Amino acid sequence: MARVVVDVPLAHLDRPFDYAVPEGLAGTVQAGCRVRVRFSGQLVDGFVLELGETTEFTGTLMPLAHVPSGEPVLTPQVARLLRTVADRYAGTMSDVLRLAVPPRRAAAEKRPTPLPESLPGPPDPAGFARYPAGRALLDALAEGRPARAVWTALPGEDWPARLAELCRAALSGRRGALVVVPDGRDLDRLEAAAGRLLPEHSYTVLRAGDSPEKRYRSFLAASRGAAQVVLGTRAAMFAPVRDLGLVVVWDDGDDLHSDEHAPYPHARDVLVQRAWLDSCAAVVAGTARTAEAALLVESGWAHEVVADRSTLRSAAPRVQALGEDFELARDPAARSARLPSLAHEAARKALAAGAPVLVQVPRRGYVPSLACARCRAPARCAHCAGPLGISARPGPGGARIPACRWCARPAATFDCPHCHGTKLRASVVGESRTAEELARAFPGAAVRTSGSTSGVLATVPGGPGLVVATPGAEPVAEGGYGAALLLDSWALLGRADLRAGEETLRRWMNAATLVRPASAGGSVVVAADAAHPVVQALVRWDPAWLAARELADRRELGFPPVTRIAALSGSPAALAEFLATARLPADADLLGPVPEPPRPGQEGDRERYLVRVPRSEGVALAGALAGVQGVRSAKKVPEHVRVQLDPLALV
């Protein structure tokens, strides 16, 4: 008998089913392999969870129809994790399986997987010497103890090398390691560090941009136990690492760690669950710190790995805010100017010293949005009321004409309905326009842009030049930047988002950490009010303080992570039926409804409810929502209700 989880995305069928194993397939079938089975008259895919001799089914079992491969790709540990994740997020195991196991490639299965020649010794502890608890963490990993840590990296830290050293420590103790980073650029740097510090074939890289065969080949290197270290982006959180001893997530505040497919798991939360299930070590690492990481420290689940203040001061650049009293007295226009004299002077000094300058702008494009130059009201299209913008592509004669960003109609003339002004201004200036302005302000200096519009640069040379980048697209400069200018701060701080302050500091610190220390002339200028708590955290370089403050504020207001929240989206009628059926926890707080912004491919009016419960009731909430989805699935209700627990953005 084979117990099979079938690939059927129906909530009421979210359980394994027993099938008979024909004699002709008995030598091929094993736990974890792929099979094809008959289910409701159709031939569907599935995975064997386990083999046995008895079944609770009283009828005659259907036989397995086909075994595409006897390769075991679903380990018992990963299967248990998938079930846990599905239950946590009110999803189905088949949904999580699609995220965890890549499609089969027969050619990759036929190729042998190379083995490492030997395991390495412990890493050089000098890399973590600047952190008082760093040596203890390395020793715990080498001894196979389940240490849990929140590591806040120093400014300018070679974090890929430090993460590779953590993996080497686990590998020296004959345990595996799994590291998840936000994007391909981070993964490139991590892979390069692993190539220097880990034996050949001891690690594998799961990269979303690889070809299906290469990705499956890398997956098999882990599932076969040849590579005990797995490095990858979000999907690698489910990688089948043998003898797992360590899980690491880098920059856990990056929204790329949150999967956009149901049931919408977050890599940090999945790896924390995995550390608990497998009794292994876990490290939540980054330059900044999230409220979720602060909760792990506050609860005692994890310990801090941080440097002392004197070490921090020697590594950090000098950070100045344009809203400081001294600067306002010297330059009264600093509060409203986009590039005040302080920022201009910092850039000029860095260029004169032969160092590059990083300029971070919060939006992509040429001029993402326009406003009336007189009253600052957002400029709207006269036809559809959509926002007006300017493309970087010039029109006939080289002129750039404002056009609607919804209907694309040009707006050759403008008449403000509020004050009848006829001139426009940029409400937020993108990287392309900023590059033009800086080229005029610093004639003769080379100007590069890095972002989705112009392409993301991985590195830039160490000579004098200006680099204009959007958050997350800042390239690494050889020798570090001489200065960084953080512009248009209000566009980040003023967002109507629960995580606006936390996310702003993360983006600022990820840029500022690329700057040379103050002792080498490195400086950071942030265009923001010096009294703002986020600005204070940056000036003092104290992300732990802001994270603890954020956690306290959210606890007082009843927001995650001290509570769990589910977002329910659908038509008004479907939501009313859903909530009437749901048996929510007694202390659940129902918020809404509010109109939901339209999504691609969706028609009709949609609303959203939020259901909030104490963190201790999170499992009960997920079970209640999954139960309603199962009832609706069994009844074949045509209107779908989207359920998302712990949504990343709450606006």
Side-chain angles (χ1 to χ4, degrees):
M1 181 273 296
R3 185 155 291 126
V4 178
V5 55
V6 293
D7 187 10
V8 177
L10 297 174
H12 69 290
L13 300 176
D14 184 29
R15 60 183 179 85
F17 294 87
D18 293 346
Y19 285 84
V21 180
E23 291 186 8
L25 300 177
T28 305
V29 175
Q30 56 181 317
C33 75
R34 304 173 195 265
V35 293
R36 299 273 285 171
V37 297
R38 289 284 175 186
F39 193 87
S40 297
Q42 296 182 338
L43 198 62
V44 299
D45 296 323
F47 293 87
V48 177
L49 293 179
E50 59 180 344
L51 297 173
E53 298 294 334
T54 61
T55 177
E56 296 179 358
F57 184 65
T58 56
T60 302
L61 293 179
M62 292 278 292
L64 298 176
H66 178 55
V67 181
S69 168
E71 182 83 38
V73 293
L74 181 62
T75 65
Q77 294 81 8
V78 173
R80 181 178 58 173
L81 174 67
L82 301 186
R83 182 69 268 168
T84 302
V85 170
D87 292 342
R88 175 180 175 82
Y89 289 98
T92 65
M93 190 167 178
S94 64
D95 284 338
V96 190
L97 265 169
R98 295 191 192 100
L99 306 178
V101 183
R104 176 177 179 257
R105 290 295 182 270
E109 290 184 352
K110 295 176 182 177
R111 297 181 56 174
T113 301
L115 299 171
E117 294 183 359
S118 61
L119 294 178
D124 184 350
F128 277 93
R130 296 189 293 173
Y131 307 91
R135 180 63 181 265
L137 176 61
L138 292 176
D139 291 344
L141 295 177
E143 296 167 7
R145 290 186 277 121
R148 277 75 186 263
V150 172
W151 171 44
T152 304
L154 282 165
E157 179 66 88
D158 185 5
W159 61 264
R162 301 291 84 77
L163 296 187
E165 288 165 0
L166 294 178
C167 294
R168 178 166 178 149
L171 203 56
S172 69
R174 300 183 179 276
R175 300 291 297 273
L178 169 61
V179 183
V180 178
V181 297
D183 56 37
R185 290 195 312 141
D186 290 336
L187 188 56
D188 290 340
R189 296 180 62 189
L190 182 59
E191 183 180 10
R196 298 190 303 268
L197 296 170
L198 301 180
E200 187 179 12
H201 306 311
S202 68
Y203 66 93
T204 188
V205 179
L206 295 179
R207 192 185 305 273
D210 284 344
S211 67
E213 181 170 343
K214 184 178 180 181
R215 179 172 175 79
Y216 189 53
R217 193 163 62 244
S218 299
F219 177 86
L220 291 177
S223 67
R224 292 172 176 175
Q228 279 192 277
V229 175
V230 175
L231 317 173
T233 49
R234 184 180 60 221
M237 59 185 165
F238 299 112
V241 181
R242 181 168 295 182
D243 297 326
L244 184 63
L246 170 67
V247 293
V248 181
V249 57
W250 171 257
D251 198 9
D252 67 298
D254 196 311
D255 58 6
L256 293 176
H257 283 303
S258 181
D259 205 300
E260 65 272 17
H261 300 99
Y264 317 105
H266 192 286
R268 176 196 55 242
D269 298 336
V270 170
L271 293 181
V272 167
Q273 288 285 328
R274 194 162 187 179
W276 175 71
L277 290 171
D278 293 345
S279 298
C280 69
V283 176
V284 178
T287 303
R289 185 178 295 185
T290 61
E292 286 78 6
L295 182 61
L296 294 177
V297 174
E298 181 187 86
S299 66
W301 191 87
H303 297 280
E304 287 185 312
V305 177
V306 296
D308 56 43
R309 295 303 298 178
S310 60
T311 303
L312 176 61
R313 283 192 293 269
S314 66
R318 182 189 182 195
V319 181
Q320 293 176 277
L322 294 179
E324 293 175 349
D325 293 338
F326 173 78
E327 180 58 29
L328 288 175
R330 191 177 68 85
D331 182 9
R335 194 184 297 276
S336 59
R338 185 154 190 266
L339 191 65
S341 59
L342 178 62
H344 190 280
E345 182 65 15
R348 188 192 64 78
K349 286 183 178 180
L351 293 173
V357 176
L358 175 64
V359 182
Q360 186 194 72
V361 291
R363 297 286 181 89
R364 302 184 299 269
Y366 188 73
V367 179
S369 59
L370 297 173
C372 173
R374 179 186 295 176
C375 70
R376 303 297 193 264
R380 297 287 181 179
C381 173
H383 177 76
C384 70
L388 296 184
I390 293 181
S391 171
R393 182 178 300 175
R400 294 186 173 97
I401 299 176
C404 179
R405 295 168 61 190
W406 288 359
C407 68
R409 282 179 168 82
T413 60
F414 173 72
D415 181 17
C416 178
H418 304 283
C419 69
H420 297 290
T422 59
K423 293 184 178 180
L424 296 168
R425 70 184 297 273
S427 55
V428 180
V429 178
E431 80 265 22
S432 301
R433 178 67 175 271
T434 303
E436 291 183 6
E437 294 178 356
L438 292 173
R440 291 193 295 268
F442 300 96
V447 181
R448 298 178 176 86
T449 60
S450 180
S452 62
T453 303
S454 56
V456 177
L457 304 176
T459 59
V460 293
L466 295 159
V467 179
V468 183
T470 52
E474 303 92 348
V476 177
E478 183 180 351
Y481 290 98
L485 313 180
L486 310 177
L487 304 182
D488 297 337
S489 59
W490 60 269
L492 294 174
L493 291 171
R495 292 181 303 137
D497 187 352
L498 174 66
R499 303 177 188 273
E502 173 187 288
E503 175 67 4
T504 298
L505 183 64
R506 186 188 71 83
R507 293 182 177 189
W508 283 351
M509 297 191 85
N510 283 351
T513 194
L514 302 175
V515 180
R516 300 170 182 177
S519 59
S523 66
V524 175
V525 178
V526 55
D529 184 358
H532 197 288
V534 177
V535 181
Q536 283 293 305
L538 177 65
V539 171
R540 301 202 307 260
W541 206 278
D542 196 355
W545 169 78
L546 184 70
R549 179 189 173 111
E550 284 276 329
L551 182 60
D553 289 345
R554 295 187 198 178
R555 177 176 286 112
E556 183 177 351
L557 297 172
F559 287 148
V562 295
T563 61
R564 293 198 68 191
I565 287 183
L568 313 178
S569 305
S571 69
L575 285 172
E577 180 188 2
F578 188 100
L579 292 172
T581 308
R583 295 184 177 180
L584 300 176
D587 49 2
D589 190 10
L590 188 63
L591 309 174
V594 296
E596 185 188 43
R599 296 176 180 272
Q602 289 183 348
E603 297 181 358
D605 295 334
R606 291 176 62 86
E607 294 179 342
R608 186 195 70 184
Y609 279 94
L610 296 179
V611 184
R612 178 173 59 188
V613 298
R615 191 171 184 84
S616 59
E617 295 292 330
V619 174
L621 174 62
L625 298 178
V628 178
Q629 293 286 56
V631 171
R632 290 171 57 82
S633 172
K635 292 181 177 180
K636 299 182 180 180
V637 177
E639 289 191 83
H640 176 66
V641 171
R642 183 176 185 266
V643 175
Q644 183 175 5
L645 268 91
D646 305 325
L648 197 62
L650 286 174
V651 296

